Amino acid sequence: MAVVELAAGPVAYEDTGGPGPVVVLGHGPPMDSRVWRKVVPLLPGFRVITPTLPLGGHRMPLRPDADLTQRGTARLLGDFLDALDLTDVTLVLNDWGGGQFLINEGRTERVGRLVLAACEAFDNFPPGPAKALGVVARVPGGMWLLLQLFRLRAFRRMPGGYGGMSVAGIPDDLLVDWFRPATRDRRVRRDFARFARGAPPRDELLRLAAGWGAFTRPVLVVWAAQDRLMPADHGPRLAALYPDARLEVVEGSSTLLGEDQPELFARLLAEFAARPDVRAS
């Protein structure tokens, strides 16, 4: 695993070093690059980069003054693309949809195509069951107490939370490992809490979402038919919002498409990422 030093701090990532085109796979909190472990081997003709974003599953804390609001985290993602000097990137957002705020920040010059894969959108930051996380993160010691609950298997597997993010089911040892850094390191826990309480209010979210149509390059919206966290109507709404977008609805999957339908998702992604770079904006 490689590490790049950004202004906000270190970010670890894996890079297949393939011949290209470049695909960057994002993830949700508090996951890491292993959420794509089933998909990456199915993309041999691409350079696939999987950063572990500072969403609570990272092992190297950021600087104390790092901006981990939704927009701040989007800027950090833009800084990551800059630091690796990536161009014509197919950027994949799954679960965490905050990478769309790169559009509001005017930071999409390195993004050739965008894949919105069962991710947050509009006013669904964070998804309904996770809204309590933002409340807990504002209470001194609240995040530590919540993480203790995740030591209990029954709590980790609740269908309204992580237990409902995959039809196949997230392997429990992996889920435990995703929560381990924030449980053990108060600095990572600090980062996680900053991100958890960093969503703008609903009116601001809707105002920002109204600006996403400024991204006129190709967009693939992949929505999961059995998703408990991302509203079913958000897929069609996103496809209608972006000027050059199409919608694919995947059966037999919840939020983590790479966990439930890796072969189908890899095929859709490979076909889309091979599209020529059209600099329409």
Side-chain angles (χ1 to χ4, degrees):
M1 181 171 287
V3 177
V4 62
E5 190 70 32
L6 307 180
V11 171
Y13 67 97
E14 295 182 3
D15 185 346
T16 65
V22 179
V23 175
V24 174
L25 298 170
H27 61 81
M31 304 171 192
D32 60 23
S33 61
R34 287 174 292 177
V35 75
W36 296 111
R37 69 197 184 284
K38 297 179 182 180
V39 172
V40 172
L42 302 176
L43 299 169
F46 296 84
R47 180 185 176 188
V48 184
I49 299 172
T50 50
T52 292
L53 300 169
L55 309 185
H58 57 300
R59 285 166 167 74
M60 295 177 293
L62 297 193
R63 296 193 172 92
D65 60 349
D67 181 358
L68 289 176
T69 61
Q70 288 286 344
R71 295 185 72 169
T73 306
R75 288 191 292 270
L76 182 145
L77 176 58
D79 292 345
F80 176 80
L81 301 181
D82 288 347
L84 270 60
D85 194 23
L86 303 175
T87 58
D88 192 24
V89 169
T90 297
L91 177 61
V92 180
L93 304 177
N94 178 225
D95 186 16
W96 178 60
Q100 294 173 96
F101 296 126
L102 284 170
I103 301 167
N104 306 102
E105 298 291 329
R107 296 284 302 275
T108 59
E109 65 279 357
R110 295 184 179 274
V111 181
R113 286 154 299 277
L114 184 60
V115 179
L116 305 175
C119 66
E120 297 164 320
F122 304 110
D123 58 349
N124 195 39
F125 286 86
K131 291 189 186 301
L133 185 62
V135 176
V136 169
R138 290 178 170 83
V139 178
M143 185 63 79
W144 182 87
L145 288 171
L146 180 64
L147 289 168
Q148 304 316 302
L149 290 175
F150 277 99
R151 294 177 182 270
L152 305 174
R153 191 177 190 279
F155 190 82
R156 293 193 299 271
R157 312 306 300 183
M158 288 177 63
Y162 288 90
M165 295 188 73
S166 168
V167 172
I170 306 169
D172 200 54
D173 59 345
L174 180 58
L175 189 54
V176 168
D177 204 38
W178 280 340
F179 280 95
R180 185 171 285 119
T183 302
R184 293 183 172 179
D185 190 328
R186 62 178 178 81
R187 299 168 301 170
V188 173
R189 191 161 58 249
R190 171 205 65 200
D191 292 347
F192 193 7
R194 284 182 177 173
F195 173 77
R197 60 177 182 260
R202 181 176 184 274
D203 288 349
E204 178 69 2
L205 284 170
L206 293 175
R207 185 190 69 80
L208 292 167
W212 295 342
F215 185 83
T216 58
R217 297 170 197 156
V219 176
L220 174 64
V221 180
V222 186
W223 229 242
Q226 282 73 46
D227 201 332
R228 295 171 180 258
L229 301 180
M230 311 303 166
D233 70 307
H234 279 195
R237 281 179 64 186
L238 285 169
L241 176 66
Y242 285 93
D244 182 7
R246 68 182 178 91
L247 172 67
E248 295 279 351
V249 176
V250 174
E251 297 288 342
S253 183
S254 188
T255 312
L256 299 183
L257 290 146
E259 196 70 23
D260 289 337
Q261 296 289 347
E263 292 85 4
L264 175 55
F265 184 74
R267 178 175 61 79
L268 291 171
L269 176 56
E271 292 171 355
F272 180 69
R275 290 183 60 171
D277 178 19
V278 180
R279 293 288 163 175
S281 65

